[in-house]
Amino acid sequence: HYEEGTWTPTLLDGASSSRTLSVTAGSYTKIGNTVYARFNITKNDTGGTNGNLSIGGLPFTTANTTPFTVGGGMWIDEGGPSSNQGDSIGLIYIPSNSAALRGVKTTNPSQVAGSRYFLYQEITNSRSVYGNITYTAA
């Protein structure tokens, strides 16, 4: 089975509430039960609850594997050094039996453990978040 299509990513804040986006673009290719999904979102929302960031709306729910799938990357574009902001780059993971992904990034020894996750409050309005993931669909 081979399939190509589009999907609409959603931005979920720390309380898993959907937030407003000005750009939502997602595409996928599915071969058998393997899904290759890509997305680009831009936040347009000053509200929301701080906490771990999730991107929802994946085109297919992940298989019920233990404990989760890791197989992609995510970049939060904060303008880089010229804006005095640090971009965030890390890995994407999807909990089993889920249609939402999350991300982890590298930390250094002086950071607290919680800073290894992508956080909703790290996304600045009008800046993009990009990602791609390969996973097994249910």
Side-chain angles (χ1 to χ4, degrees):
H1 175 77
Y2 179 88
E3 179 181 340
E4 292 182 3
T6 60
W7 61 287
T8 303
T10 58
L11 174 63
L12 306 173
D13 67 11
S16 296
S17 297
S18 185
R19 308 311 307 176
T20 304
L21 299 169
S22 59
V23 173
T24 58
S27 62
Y28 71 88
T29 303
K30 184 176 184 229
I31 302 171
N33 64 350
T34 302
V35 180
Y36 305 91
R38 297 148 300 281
F39 68 89
N40 172 10
I41 62 171
T42 302
K43 179 179 156 190
N44 185 25
D45 195 332
T46 57
T49 303
N50 290 343
N52 292 346
L53 161 74
S54 297
I55 308 291
L58 285 170
F60 302 94
T61 299
T62 58
N64 194 16
T65 58
T66 305
F68 50 81
T69 299
V70 175
M74 185 165 29
W75 167 36
I76 296 178
D77 177 7
E78 291 295 342
S82 63
S83 69
N84 206 22
Q85 299 283 342
D87 291 351
S88 295
I89 299 171
L91 295 174
I92 292 175
Y93 71 95
I94 308 173
S96 61
N97 200 32
S98 177
L101 59 87
R102 296 183 178 185
V104 294
K105 55 189 174 174
T106 58
T107 58
N108 63 51
S110 66
Q111 292 174 310
V112 297
S115 66
R116 71 176 163 240
Y117 299 103
F118 282 97
L119 301 175
Y120 173 76
Q121 60 269 26
E122 294 173 332
I123 302 175
T124 302
N125 278 348
S126 76
R127 301 304 299 185
S128 295
V129 179
Y130 305 94
N132 64 34
I133 182 82
T134 301
Y135 67 95
T136 302

